[in-house]
Amino acid sequence: MPSHTRVEGSDLVTLQKSDAADRSVRVDWNSYASAYDLLSEHNPEYQALLHDFEAFLATIEKPRLIYDIGGGTGNYTKIAARICPESEIRLMEPDAGMIGMAKSKLATHGNISYGTLALEDIAASEAADLVICVHALYTMPSPEERLVDLRRLLRPGGWLYLIDMGRHMDVRDWRNYLFSSLRQQLGLAGALRVFWQGREIAKQNKNIFEAQKAGDYWTHSEAELATAATAAGFEIVRKQSVYRGYSDLLVCRARA
Ligand SMILES: C[S@@+](CC[C@H](N)C(=O)[O-])C[C@H]1O[C@@H](n2cnc3c(N)ncnc32)[C@H](O)[C@@H]1O
């Protein structure tokens, strides 16, 4: 389970391989946080995922209790809070920088509570109707077991909206893609400005790649993710390759 080490006022998630040796590569989500929303806003693929989530929410009965696991800066929680104002939403995010951004961004919503526990440490008091987990599972220790934790949070028949990065992060490919998208949106000077402001993302993306190569972060095919979700007690309703083929989206229901 990740431990959280306070270093010069910031939380670094010290990644550990199962319960044994320290993981060799660190991704500093805290440094990631300030640049995260800037680039996400201008990343059409990130925006497409948010649109998919919003469209999905419109198709299901309004959930009473929602968890957003590894909710980061709160972009999925924000959509859930807007579409489901009557729902109780719990954003769970262990990183101080990410959750800090979420809290300031979502301050006007009265139906969101915040928790800093890692998924594996959450003792759910009530079963949720919807669990959101986007681009967080692959970073967690023992992800197949974490899928069982996601199932544990849900009532039978409850929904899991899961997106996970399965393929190696090709930093150059993403940099080229983002730069050409930014250039189309903002022109050359605007693209250079946002790239400079968001330069921390490139650094952390490289750390993600290193963690994947070292086997500390999970890589998987769509079929492997689906098999793991089925084994954890989910029925798969929709599966799709997304995020330029780097990630997999599964919409699942918790089996009884
Ligand atoms: C790439 S961010 C994704 C944030 C958000 N879901 C989004 O798509 O914008 C991954 C997040 O997972 C969080 N995380 C890492 N390990 C975790 C764990 N064991 N339990 C819950 N969250 C975790 C990190 O702190 C990080 O903020």
Side-chain angles (χ1 to χ4, degrees):
M1 126 176 79
S3 64
H4 298 90
T5 316
R6 187 153 281 278
V7 179
E8 291 174 6
S10 71
D11 275 343
L12 286 184
V13 179
T14 307
L15 303 163
Q16 295 176 356
K17 207 174 224 167
S18 58
D19 290 325
D22 273 4
R23 289 174 162 195
S24 50
V25 185
R26 283 177 173 200
V27 174
D28 180 358
W29 297 113
N30 199 288
S31 301
Y32 207 60
S34 46
Y36 192 83
D37 279 351
L38 176 70
L39 278 198
S40 300
E41 231 172 79
H42 294 288
N43 178 353
E45 289 287 321
Y46 187 94
Q47 294 303 317
L49 298 182
L50 293 178
H51 289 309
D52 185 278
F53 175 64
E54 183 164 345
F56 158 76
L57 270 187
T59 66
I60 63 170
E61 205 174 293
K62 288 285 174 274
R64 194 190 59 77
L65 177 61
I66 303 173
Y67 276 98
D68 185 1
I69 301 294
T73 61
N75 293 327
Y76 287 80
T77 289
K78 186 176 178 187
I79 292 172
R82 176 164 51 79
I83 306 284
C84 310
E86 307 298 323
S87 304
E88 179 190 342
I89 307 170
R90 298 182 187 168
L91 190 158
M92 306 303 292
E93 170 50 59
D95 180 79
M98 295 293 247
I99 204 166
M101 296 280 289
K103 280 181 183 169
S104 55
K105 196 159 75 186
L106 304 173
T108 55
H109 295 278
N111 58 338
I112 304 170
S113 59
Y114 301 86
T116 54
L117 289 178
L119 167 61
E120 52 274 34
D121 297 331
I122 301 171
S125 45
E126 314 153 79
D129 306 289
L130 168 64
V131 170
I132 308 155
C133 184
V134 177
H135 285 152
L137 181 69
Y138 75 102
T139 73
M140 297 182 194
S142 311
E144 284 101 337
E145 288 169 32
R146 300 294 73 78
L147 277 164
V148 176
D149 286 329
L150 293 172
R151 168 67 192 86
R152 180 174 56 78
L153 295 179
L154 282 161
R155 66 165 170 80
W159 293 96
L160 170 66
Y161 187 90
L162 175 70
I163 300 176
D164 204 44
M165 178 164 289
R167 264 66 74 198
H168 283 120
M169 158 76 71
D170 182 335
V171 179
R172 183 189 293 182
D173 176 50
W174 273 105
R175 193 178 52 220
N176 292 343
Y177 167 76
L178 285 171
F179 193 76
S180 79
S181 304
L182 280 167
R183 201 175 166 165
Q184 275 173 26
Q185 294 166 50
L186 306 171
L188 181 59
L192 287 169
R193 181 174 38 78
V194 171
F195 237 57
W196 175 251
Q197 287 167 348
R199 61 194 179 282
E200 187 61 37
I201 295 286
K203 198 167 129 197
Q204 296 308 329
N205 281 350
K206 188 163 170 292
N207 287 344
I208 289 172
F209 174 64
E210 295 298 334
Q212 289 174 319
K213 258 196 334 190
D216 293 335
Y217 279 4
W218 193 30
T219 51
H220 52 73
S221 65
E222 183 186 281
E224 283 163 346
L225 183 66
T227 301
T230 305
F234 289 103
E235 179 201 336
I236 294 158
V237 177
R238 173 159 71 102
K239 69 173 191 274
Q240 196 179 327
S241 171
V242 293
Y243 216 49
R244 307 178 63 236
Y246 282 86
S247 301
D248 303 304
L249 183 159
L250 295 185
V251 175
C252 307
R253 294 200 92 154
R255 285 201 308 268

